[in-house]
Amino acid sequence: MALHALALLLSISAGLVLVSAQPSPRVQERISAAIAAAKGGSVNYTAFVNPFIGTDNYGDVCPGASVPFGMAKFTTDMTGYAPAGYITDSTQTVRGLSPLHDSGTGSSLGTYGNFEIMPLLCPGGFDTCTTRLQDRERYRKNNTDDAYPGYFALTLNNSIKMEATSTRRAGLERFTFPKGSGTPYFVLDLANDLPASFAGGTLDIDPEAGRITIGGYWGSSFGPGRYNYQAFACYDLLNNGAQKLGEYGVWTGDSYGLDAKGLGLTHLNLSVNLIGAPYQSGALFSYLDEPEEITIRVGVSFRSAEQACANAETEVGSASFEDIVSASQALWNEKLSRVEIDLAGTPPNVTEMLYSSLYRSFLTPNNATDETQGVFADTTSFYFDSLYCSWDTFRTFYPLLALHSPLEFAQIVDNYIDGYRKMGWMPECRANNLPGWTQGGSSGDVIVAHFAVTYHDEAQALGIDLQELYDAQVADAQVNPPEWNTLGRQVNVYKEYGYVPFAVLDTSSTGRQTREGSRTLEYAFEDFGLRQVAQLLNKTEDEAYYTNRSLWYRNVWDPTVVSDGFKGFMQKRYPNGTFSYQNPINCSPQDNVTTECSLQGDNVNGFYESSSWEYSWFAPHDTAYLITLMGGNQTFVNRLNHFFDAGYYLAGNEPSFQTPIGYHYANRPTLSVDRVRQVVFENFDITPAGIPGNDDQAAMATLLSFHLLGLYPVPSSTELLILSPFVPKYTIHNTYLNVSTTVTVKNYDPTSIQYPIPSGASAYVKSVTVNGQATESRCHFDFYDTFKVGGEIVIELTSNKTEVDSCAGSLPQSISTGGFASAR
Ligand SMILES: *[C@@H]1O[C@H](CO)[C@@H](O)[C@H](O)[C@H]1NC(C)=O
Ligand SMILES: *[C@@H]1O[C@H](CO)[C@@H](O)[C@H](O)[C@H]1NC(C)=O
Ligand SMILES: *[C@@H]1O[C@H](CO)[C@@H](O)[C@H](O)[C@H]1NC(C)=O
Ligand SMILES: *[C@@H]1O[C@H](CO)[C@@H](O)[C@H](O)[C@H]1NC(C)=O
Ligand SMILES: *[C@@H]1O[C@H](CO)[C@@H](O)[C@H](O)[C@H]1NC(C)=O
Ligand SMILES: *[C@@H]1O[C@H](CO)[C@@H](O)[C@H](O)[C@H]1NC(C)=O
Ligand SMILES: *[C@@H]1O[C@H](CO)[C@@H](O)[C@H](O)[C@H]1NC(C)=O
Ligand SMILES: *[C@@H]1O[C@H](CO)[C@@H](O)[C@H](O)[C@H]1NC(C)=O
Ligand SMILES: *[C@@H]1O[C@H](CO)[C@@H](O)[C@H](O)[C@H]1NC(C)=O
Ligand SMILES: *[C@@H]1O[C@H](CO)[C@@H](O)[C@H](O)[C@H]1NC(C)=O
Ligand SMILES: *[C@@H]1O[C@H](CO)[C@@H](O)[C@H](O)[C@H]1NC(C)=O
Ligand SMILES: *[C@@H]1O[C@H](CO)[C@@H](O)[C@H](O)[C@H]1NC(C)=O
C-alpha cells in the first residue's frame, strides 16, 4: 500500500527538492566511522543501521526506539503528512513524544501516535501552560535528531532534549532541560492520536504513586471508520522515587477557544464527540526542585491500564535508561548477525543500505502477543498487529524471513491461521488490531504457502498444523464473505466467470467495485499458493483444481489492445466477456490523468497502485506463457526494455517488484543484472529520502535486501533466481536449522557496483556451484539445495556479457512448461 505514490511522482516531476535539516550529521559520520573500523570477529551490526532512511520522501519509516518486532515504537509526532509520527522535514513542528507507532504504512492520516507527552516551560505557572495541540507544537533544533537501534532523540528549539528507549511493550523517556529553565512541566495527552480518531476514554492521576493511567478507544488508520480499537498506557513519573511530583491536574481544549485547566483534579472521562473533532484533553504536571533531568517510565497495553502498568514493571522495572538501550541493542545485534558480509570488501553504502534494510525487516509486524482484544482476546496463539498489508509483504518480506528465521516466520503464520479460526478468513491488512482494507484479495494465502513449502518438515515442531493451514487457505478461496472490503475475496463471481468481472450483478456480497484486472491477477496467484500446498499434502484433485484456477490470469488478457506498438494487455472485463478498454499507461508514472490509483472510488482503471503496462507482467508462476501471449522471447525482451525506458516502471509500489528480473524467463539473465543495478541506484540510497515511497512494512527494505544479495524469490515456491550480488561474500545463518550458507562471489569487482555497469567490470553470472557441484542452470536454484542445507555457494562473475547471456540450462519454472511439478 502506498497511497502517496502519485503525490510523490508529482513532487519529483515538479522538480521539488525537500530541504532537510535533519537528522544530525553525526548520525552518518558515526555509521561511516563504524563501517570503516569494522573488522571480523564480533561485529556490532547495530552501528551500521541508519534508522532515518525512509523518513523523508513519503517513506513513512518510523525511526523510533523499538526492539525487534516491538509493539512499542517511541518517536515524536510531527505536523504535516507523517503517518509514522516522525518526518525529517524541518518546516514541520513537534507535538509530542509517544509510544505507539507503525513503520512504513501509507495511511494518509497516520496511525497510532496515542498518549503523547510534551515537555513545557510555564514561567507563568500551571494555568499558563500551552497544553493544546497548536499551542504546544514547537520546531526542532536543526541538525540534532538522532537515532540508532533501540534509541531515539530529538531536541526542541528551546533546547529541551527528549530521548527514548524501549522494550516490547514499555520504555523509558528521558528529558533534559537547559540549566536554569525553572520548573519542568509536562502535558500528557488522553485523546489525540495521529488520525484524530478518539472515540472516548478515561485518564486518572494517582499523585501518591506518581502514576497516570490512560485508556480509551480510537479508530482504524486504514479500515472502516466505524471500527474502534482499545489502547492503554501507564506513565510512572517518579523514577523509582528519585523525582518529586509538583503540581498536577487535568485540562481540556479545542480550537474554538476552550482552554481549561483543573489544578488538583485527577480524573477525566470523555466520550466520542459526535459532531466532529475530539476534545483535546489530558493531564498536566510539574516536578519539584527544578530538576534538569527527568526520567519517565511508560507501559502500553491493548488489554487494560493494569496490564500497561504491569508491562512497565516487568519489562523495565528499575532498570536504567542505559540498561534498556543495551538490552535492545543486544536483541538487534542477534537478529542482524543472521546475515554476515565481507565488511572489508563491500562498498560502505551497500553495507549501510543492507543493514538498515535488514533492521527494518525485523521492525514489523508488531508483536502484540498477550495483548489481544476483540475476538482474539482469549487466543493462545501468537498475535501480531500491523499486517499492513499482506499484499505488500508477500512478495519479498516473508521470503527473506524464510531464509534465516523460521521461528519468527512460524509465529506470524500461526497468527494468520488464528485469524481464520477467529474471523473465518485470514487477515489481509490488519491495522490497529482491526481488519484493514483488502487490496489484491487474500494475500495471506501466499504467505502461509511460502511457509508450508519451505518448512513443511519442521512445521509441526514449529507449532503449525499444515492441514489447518490449508483449511485456512481454502476458506479464503471458497467462502465468499458478505463484504470483501476487509477480509477474503469476491470468489462467488470469480468462480462463476473465471475472472473478477467489471460491473457484475452480485446479489450476495458487497465491496468496492474496482480493481477487477489486478484482483483477478492476484486471486490467480493466491490460487497458486493453494495449489502448492495441495501438492505438498498429496491432495491430487485439489492440486489440479487450483492449478487450473491459477491460470485464470489469462482470462483478463485482451489480445487486441495495443500500446506503443506492443500488443495484448491485461484489462478489466465485463460479465459478458467484452473487455472494458482502459489505456494501459493509466496509473503509470507517465499518466497525466488525474484519477487516483489506490482504493479511491475514482480509480476506474481496473488496476491497483499500478498500470496495466506493469500488471501485465504479473504471473510469477507462469511467465513462460506470458512470453507466448506477448509474442515470443524477443518481443517480450523488447517490451520489458520499453517498459523501463518509457518510464512505466513504478518503483514505489509492489507490483513493480518482479519486473526487473523478468529477463531471466526469456533466457537473458544479464539484462536482469543490468536492470537491478538501475533500479537500486535510481531508487535507493542512504539518505532519509533513500526509498521510493512507502516502505510498506519493510516490503521495500526486503526487496532491496534481495537485490543486494543477488537473489530473487518466487513466492509460494522454493525457487530462487540468481542475480549478481552487490557484496563479495555473505553468510546467512539459520539458527533454527543450525545451518549456515556462505555465498562467495568469484571475480567480484567493486567498480561494477554502480549504474550503468562500466564495460569491462565483472558483474554477470558465469557459473554457480553449490557445495562443489555445478548447478544445472545459472539462472536459478532451489532453497532445499542451498539455504536449507547450508554449505558453500560460489557465484562466478565475468565481464563478458555476450558469453553468459543465457541460463546455460533450464529457465526458472513456469506451470505451462511443466514447472513446479513436484513438492520439494
Ligand atoms: C532550520 O533549517 C531550515 C531548513 O534548512 C531553515 O529553513 C531554518 O531557517 C533553520 N532554522 C534555524 C533556526 O536555523
Ligand atoms: C554498537 O553501536 C551502537 C550504535 O552506534 C552504539 O550505541 C553501541 O554503543 C555499540 N555497542 C558496542 C558494544 O560497542
Ligand atoms: C521555536 O518554535 C516555536 C513554535 O514552533 C516558534 O514560535 C519559536 O519562534 C521558535 N523559537 C526559536 C528560538 O526558534
Ligand atoms: C465514564 O462515563 C461513562 C458514562 O458517560 C460511564 O459509563 C463509565 O463507567 C465511566 N467510566 C469511568 C472509568 O469512569
Ligand atoms: C512475540 O512475543 C512473544 C511473547 O513475549 C514471544 O514469545 C515471541 O517469541 C515473540 N515473537 C517475535 C517474533 O518477536
Ligand atoms: C478450468 O477452469 C475453466 C474456467 O477458466 C473451467 O471452464 C474448466 O472447467 C476448469 N477445468 C477443470 C479441470 O477444473
Ligand atoms: C505425499 O506423498 C509422498 C510420496 O508418496 C510422501 O513422501 C509424503 O509423505 C506424502 N505427504 C503427505 C502429507 O501425505
Ligand atoms: C457487454 O456489456 C457491455 C457493458 O454493458 C456492453 O458495452 C457490450 O456491448 C456488451 N458486449 C456484448 C458483446 O454484448
Ligand atoms: C503525458 O504528457 C506528456 C507531455 O505532455 C506526453 O508526452 C505524454 O504522451 C502524455 N501521456 C499520456 C498517457 O497521455
Ligand atoms: C524462449 O526461449 C526459451 C529458451 O531459449 C525457449 O525454451 C522458449 O521456447 C522460447 N519461448 C518462446 C515463446 O519462443
Ligand atoms: C553513497 O551515498 C551517498 C548518499 O546517497 C552518495 O552521495 C554517494 O555518492 C554514494 N556513494 C557511492 C559510492 O555510491
Ligand atoms: C566474450 O565471449 C565471446 C563468446 O564466448 C567471445 O567471442 C568474445 O571474444 C569474448 N569477448 C571478450 C572481450 O573476451
Side-chain angles (χ1 to χ4, degrees):
M1 181 196 59
L3 288 179
H4 247 258
L6 287 183
L8 157 72
L9 292 167
L10 291 178
S11 69
I12 284 172
S13 60
L16 194 92
V17 179
L18 295 172
V19 185
S20 203
Q22 298 294 352
S24 163
R26 278 181 34 235
V27 174
Q28 186 54 51
E29 285 162 22
R30 190 175 62 218
I31 295 167
S32 298
I35 292 173
K39 297 191 193 70
S42 99
V43 176
N44 180 7
Y45 291 98
T46 62
F48 309 151
V49 173
N50 186 346
F52 289 101
I53 295 176
T55 56
D56 192 359
N57 197 23
Y58 305 107
D60 302 336
V61 163
C62 177
S66 177
V67 295
F69 305 107
M71 183 173 114
K73 293 183 180 6
F74 284 79
T75 193
T76 46
D77 300 309
M78 326 292 289
T79 52
Y81 182 81
Y86 179 90
I87 43 173
T88 51
D89 182 356
S90 57
T91 63
Q92 300 297 336
T93 53
V94 182
R95 297 196 310 209
L97 173 69
S98 71
L100 289 173
H101 294 93
D102 284 327
S103 183
T105 66
S107 151
S108 49
L109 294 168
T111 167
Y112 288 122
N114 324 47
F115 317 127
E116 266 167 18
I117 192 166
M118 184 75 167
L120 301 175
L121 295 171
C122 314
F126 189 92
D127 281 323
T128 68
C129 284
T130 51
T131 51
R132 292 182 303 184
L133 292 174
Q134 286 186 349
D135 299 338
R136 74 181 190 236
E137 69 183 48
R138 188 167 267 290
Y139 288 111
R140 289 165 275 181
K141 249 196 165 129
N142 279 346
N143 304 313
T144 55
D145 294 353
D146 195 3
Y148 48 79
Y151 175 82
F152 175 84
L154 179 144
T155 303
L156 298 167
N157 75 351
N158 56 7
S159 296
I160 300 174
K161 184 172 185 181
M162 312 198 269
E163 299 171 279
T165 186
S166 71
T167 62
R168 181 165 75 94
R169 298 170 293 177
L172 288 174
E173 299 173 336
R174 185 165 64 191
F175 301 88
T176 308
F177 289 73
K179 230 179 208 7
S181 300
T183 297
Y185 280 85
F186 290 86
V187 54
L188 177 58
D189 215 301
L190 159 64
N192 184 56
D193 66 340
L194 291 168
S197 68
F198 183 63
T202 58
L203 178 147
D204 287 279
I205 304 174
D206 177 343
E208 277 68 49
R211 173 171 274 185
I212 300 178
T213 49
I214 312 175
Y217 295 89
W218 287 266
S220 172
S221 54
F222 189 66
R226 63 178 67 192
Y227 293 173
N228 290 315
Y229 71 93
Q230 60 182 30
F232 303 87
C234 178
Y235 276 73
D236 286 315
L237 312 180
L238 303 186
N239 193 18
N240 302 301
Q243 298 164 181
K244 292 199 208 71
L245 196 60
E247 293 171 312
Y248 56 85
V250 300
W251 61 276
T252 60
D254 66 14
S255 50
Y256 305 96
L258 173 65
D259 184 11
K261 299 184 182 75
L263 181 63
L265 299 184
T266 59
H267 181 63
L268 280 170
N269 182 2
L270 301 173
S271 76
V272 65
N273 185 20
L274 288 170
I275 201 167
Y279 286 115
Q280 300 176 28
S281 59
L284 176 62
F285 56 92
S286 67
Y287 287 91
L288 295 181
D289 306 334
E290 306 194 357
E292 282 163 24
E293 189 180 291
I294 294 290
T295 299
I296 293 177
R297 188 177 73 181
V298 186
V300 286
S301 171
F302 294 129
R303 293 180 74 102
S304 67
E306 292 67 36
Q307 187 157 325
C309 295
N311 290 342
E313 283 155 12
T314 56
E315 295 185 8
V316 176
S318 56
S320 72
F321 192 91
E322 285 71 23
D323 290 341
I324 300 298
V325 171
S326 305
S328 180
Q329 286 180 338
L331 293 172
W332 278 113
N333 217 37
E334 190 280 316
K335 297 281 193 245
L336 296 170
S337 67
R338 293 178 189 187
V339 181
E340 254 185 272
I341 64 172
D342 171 357
L343 288 159
T346 302
N349 282 11
V350 172
T351 301
E352 184 171 342
M353 283 196 286
L354 180 63
Y355 283 99
S356 302
S357 299
L358 293 171
Y359 168 78
R360 300 205 305 282
S361 78
F362 290 113
L363 190 57
T364 60
N366 308 339
N367 187 354
T369 300
D370 301 326
E371 290 296 339
T372 47
Q373 57 184 271
V375 295
F376 294 97
D378 298 321
T379 193
T380 52
S381 286
F382 290 99
Y383 179 87
F384 291 82
D385 181 29
S386 294
L387 306 167
Y388 203 160
C389 301
S390 304
W391 176 85
D392 299 288
T393 51
F394 81 79
R395 299 160 214 265
T396 50
F397 183 94
Y398 291 101
L400 186 68
L401 208 54
L403 293 185
H404 49 57
S405 300
L407 198 71
E408 290 83 348
F409 194 4
Q411 292 180 4
I412 299 171
V413 165
D414 177 36
N415 158 74
Y416 271 90
I417 297 171
D418 200 43
Y420 150 73
R421 284 185 207 120
K422 304 294 192 301
M423 304 201 76
W425 297 270
M426 284 194 279
E428 165 54 27
C429 194
R430 180 180 296 157
N432 312 96
N433 298 298
L434 300 168
W437 304 121
T438 52
Q439 306 187 64
S442 46
S443 299
D445 298 341
V446 184
I447 293 167
V448 302
H450 202 82
F451 176 81
V453 298
T454 46
Y455 288 103
H456 51 85
D457 292 337
E458 295 76 18
Q460 200 183 351
L462 286 165
I464 302 299
D465 176 347
L466 290 177
Q467 179 58 50
E468 194 185 21
L469 179 153
Y470 183 65
D471 293 344
Q473 289 184 305
V474 170
D476 286 346
Q478 296 293 346
V479 183
N480 201 104
E483 197 259 343
W484 39 267
N485 284 313
T486 59
L487 292 171
R489 322 186 209 161
Q490 195 182 11
V491 280
N492 56 358
V493 294
Y494 173 65
K495 284 164 65 179
E496 185 180 347
Y497 295 92
Y499 55 94
V500 180
F502 169 54
V504 66
L505 174 67
D506 182 345
T507 58
S508 63
S509 77
T510 55
R512 177 152 283 175
Q513 298 289 331
T514 61
R515 301 157 286 136
E516 293 79 10
S518 56
R519 282 197 287 135
T520 300
L521 298 171
E522 296 284 356
Y523 284 17
F525 190 62
E526 288 152 16
D527 288 338
F528 174 68
L530 276 96
R531 181 256 188 212
Q532 293 291 84
V533 178
Q535 180 186 67
L536 191 64
L537 300 179
N538 297 333
K539 296 177 186 293
T540 315
E541 279 176 33
D542 285 19
E543 183 189 341
Y545 169 76
Y546 286 111
T547 300
N548 185 21
R549 273 178 52 166
S550 79
L551 303 180
W552 288 357
Y553 73 89
R554 297 172 184 177
N555 296 338
V556 287
W557 177 262
D558 181 348
T560 68
V561 173
V562 177
S563 177
D564 294 355
F566 293 94
K567 200 162 178 214
F569 283 86
M570 301 296 178
Q571 290 280 294
K572 64 182 186 181
R573 195 174 189 181
Y574 289 107
N576 64 9
T578 299
F579 288 97
S580 165
Y581 173 79
Q582 306 294 322
N583 187 339
I585 293 167
N586 289 355
C587 289
S588 77
Q590 301 308 312
D591 182 2
N592 306 326
V593 185
T594 53
T595 57
E596 292 160 297
C597 295
S598 288
L599 283 173
Q600 301 91 346
D602 65 343
N603 177 8
V604 293
N605 194 39
F607 297 90
Y608 183 69
E609 296 193 340
S610 188
S611 61
S612 164
W613 252 100
E614 190 158 78
Y615 247 123
S616 291
W617 305 109
F618 189 73
H621 54 309
D622 200 26
T623 304
Y625 193 80
L626 271 185
I627 293 179
T628 305
L629 286 177
M630 290 187 181
N633 288 310
Q634 192 55 51
T635 311
F636 180 88
V637 167
N638 294 345
R639 180 169 171 159
L640 206 42
N641 284 338
H642 183 76
F643 167 74
F644 284 99
D645 298 345
Y648 299 150
Y649 167 78
L650 179 57
N653 277 318
E654 284 66 16
S656 70
F657 278 18
Q658 44 107 44
T659 55
I661 54 86
Y663 302 97
H664 268 57
Y665 291 88
N667 208 20
R668 302 291 306 278
T670 68
L671 301 180
S672 301
V673 168
D674 286 333
R675 211 50 95 174
V676 167
R677 284 284 198 281
Q678 179 184 11
V679 162
V680 169
F681 283 96
E682 289 183 355
N683 296 288
F684 294 92
D685 63 36
I686 57 171
T687 69
I691 56 173
N694 284 342
D695 199 29
D696 285 321
Q697 301 266 187
M700 292 292 161
T702 50
L703 172 72
L704 179 60
S705 301
F706 272 114
H707 283 340
L708 299 179
L709 297 176
L711 299 172
Y712 194 81
V714 181
S716 295
S717 89
T718 55
E719 183 164 82
L720 290 160
L721 271 50
I722 304 166
L723 287 106
S724 183
F726 287 54
V727 299
K729 185 171 182 172
Y730 62 91
T731 301
I732 294 189
H733 300 287
N734 189 319
T735 49
Y736 181 80
L737 296 175
N738 201 22
V739 301
S740 296
T741 312
T742 297
V743 176
T744 306
V745 184
K746 205 169 150 187
N747 298 334
Y748 173 85
D749 181 351
T751 69
S752 77
I753 309 304
Q754 55 178 303
Y755 180 77
I757 296 169
S759 79
S762 149
Y764 304 100
V765 179
K766 182 174 182 184
S767 68
V768 181
T769 62
V770 175
N771 291 323
Q773 296 280 316
T775 53
E776 181 271 317
S777 164
R778 59 186 169 213
C779 284
H780 63 102
F781 50 42
D782 195 278
F783 175 70
Y784 279 85
D785 300 323
T786 54
F787 299 95
K788 189 77 187 266
V789 290
E792 300 288 332
I793 297 173
V794 178
I795 299 179
E796 185 191 359
L797 304 180
T798 175
S799 58
N800 191 334
K801 213 171 152 176
T802 46
E803 189 190 5
V804 297
D805 196 15
S806 75
C807 293
S810 61
L811 300 179
Q813 300 172 76
S814 289
I815 293 257
S816 58
T817 49
F820 307 108
S822 57
R824 290 297 307 263

